[in-house]
Amino acid sequence: MTATETHCPYCALQCGIRLTPVIPRVQLEPADFPVNRGGLCAKGWTAAELLDHRDRLLTPLVREDPADRRSPLRPATWDEALDRIVTAIRDSQRRYGPDSVGAFGGGGLTNEKAYALGKFVRVALRSASIDYNGRFCMSSAATAANRAFGIDRGLPFPLEDVARARTVLLVGANPADAMPPSMQYLDAGRAEGARHIVVDPRLTATAKGAYRHLQPLPGTDLALANGLLHLAIREGLIDEDYIRDRTSGFEAVRAAVNAYWPARVERMTGVPEAHLRETVRLLATEGPAMILTARGAEQHSNGTDTAQAYLNLALALGLVGRPYSGYGTITGQGNGQGGREHGQKADQLPGYRRLDDPAAREHVAKVWGIDPAELPMPGKSAYEMLDRLGTDGGVRVLLVLASNIAVSAPHATHVIDRLRALDLLVVSDIFLSETAALADVVLPTAQWAEEEGTMTNLEGRVIRRRRALPPPPEVRTDLRFMADLAGLLGRGEFFSAEPREVFEELRRASAGGIADYAGITYERLDAEQGVFWPCPSEDHPGTPRLFAEDFPTPGGRARFVRVEHRDPHELPDRQFPYVLTTGRTMQQYQSGNQTRRVAALTMATPEPRVELHPDLARRHGIADSDLVELRSRRGRAFFRARLDPGIRPDTVFAPFHWGGDNAVNALTDPALDRHSRMPAFKVCAVAISRTEEE
Ligand code: SF4
């Protein structure tokens, strides 16, 4: 039996996996890939269960009565399903215009599919209405990195550099739970004496192993960073030569952080002044040093500015572009990096080009064989599009690929209402997710080990996803579905269902852009265990480390950006006295649509738990495992309590992998960051009470 080397279907680490056909199913084991080096987490070890799961969608489904969404879904042929979709698209565009049909993509799509989806919406639908769930994930850090560096590659260095750093500041990041095999790099550094400082309102598994845990009030990470920079300046720890030679805009930042003196920052954040001084001294003097942020710092109504504050700190200390040193953001979704490079974002074209840039429009239109004037201008961001579904001027027919927005969007009950208001909802998935259960047409799609393609991991390493077995007979790939639908809409000649052909076109479309894949071929990916972008030609080695010489900005300098603390959009008050923050558990992934169906993972975490400090629990008469109701201004959700003295007494935490009564996103605040349009997932005000079983 021939083994196939491919990659885990879940997170952005993209661990290497070897699949061997062993009748009646495949045998899965870790591959010796340079990222995971033989390691896998529980999700990866059990990923083969998805392939022949009894819940697998095996045929298209349509509503028994097309006019009644409460009628049951029944199996249908692809012809019938596509016919319903084409009829609805034509009808909607005739009545309401081209933008009334839209798509919502996902950071789990391969590069080929993300590219094809962006092109499908602009070329086949001629619509501006497209965005994707990465807007809820990476958009703030990406916006900040683009402002500072002129480029957004989550980690601008390989993971192996993390092991060589002597000091690492991790802000709102919990890799010990989110991507356990990545801890081997932090562990290796620690074994050599490195010191890790974790910033998190909870004593997470990552914080437990750290040298120091800073525990700020959620929503004050920016003040913390500005306070660290204030101290660095006052104590003469900034790198004046680096600032002079490699950056611009520092004086405005110097003036801004002057107001963040330590006693004030301690009052704002709750982090003791002594720990602020120690942190900045370690970052400045115990190098090489790194600052890594993740969603805890970024998913706020000021998430872009918060990430920017840590970028400012890294630049002022002269960390960026030096060996085993710098600033990075830890991407979460499997293809969160590639998914934001190839055009499924409302404002973007392939190669990380701007849709409103005339030169970019001309280049991409030429590759696509259309007139640049045919390309729509940028549409609405993810939540702004969802918020207006089914309304005048909003999207009326929505195609959803690789996303379970009924669980993962903020203010999820409102989003569910909006999904119900659509004229037609089409969902492509492998299981009947909470979103698919609302759909008029459900399309069964091929999954990770059943199709070819490429992914780009959190380091910017482009890798091959390989097909180990064929999909079930009535299951199609999303590339096939888009090509078929484009054909029925009279634009079939622009689309291929073959991943290699799509990738070859993607290479041409990305050539000369920020995320330049022109020199990357399937053959190179096979031979080299992945290639780091940018890679402008086939004889270029790829770029594992960025910024050693200069930055891709007009003057070659990194840019400081002045940022100020602003209170979160929603603060606790008498009615809703606590801060709710959300995040991951080790055994679940994203909305849980896949992992909640895997027996071993469900046994480990059969239900979500809300994490409470014992003092807070006592105040409300709550004991461990009691059923608890959380209420926010938008809704309510129920969880069993887990008492943990490691969380701040003014903060509660709940995971976001569940829907229905356990949907924490029924509570979260859809207030958007003004730069990235990222919702404020990480802070909202809640009330808490013990409740009885029904
Ligand atoms: Fe899969 Fe991520 Fe776990 Fe690796 S760390 S096995 S990529 S879920």
Side-chain angles (χ1 to χ4, degrees), residues 131 135-136 139-140 298-304 380-387 409-411 566 568-570 669-681:
D131 212 42
R135 185 74 71 173
F136 298 159
S139 57
S140 286
E298 299 159 9
Q299 288 179 315
H300 294 275
S301 55
N302 68 344
T304 301
K380 295 203 165 12
S381 74
Y383 187 78
E384 291 165 298
M385 177 164 68
L386 298 178
D387 186 37
H411 197 185
R566 279 181 294 121
H569 175 257
E570 191 170 276
D669 184 358
L672 301 180
D673 180 283
R674 63 193 160 138
H675 305 293
S676 66
R677 318 311 285 162
M678 158 79 83
F681 284 107

Side-chain angles (χ1 to χ4, degrees), residues 8-15 36 39-45 178-181:
C8 175
Y10 299 119
C11 85
L13 204 56
Q14 284 297 291
C15 295
N36 53 313
L40 289 180
C41 76
K43 299 184 286 277
W45 272 111
M179 46 181 67

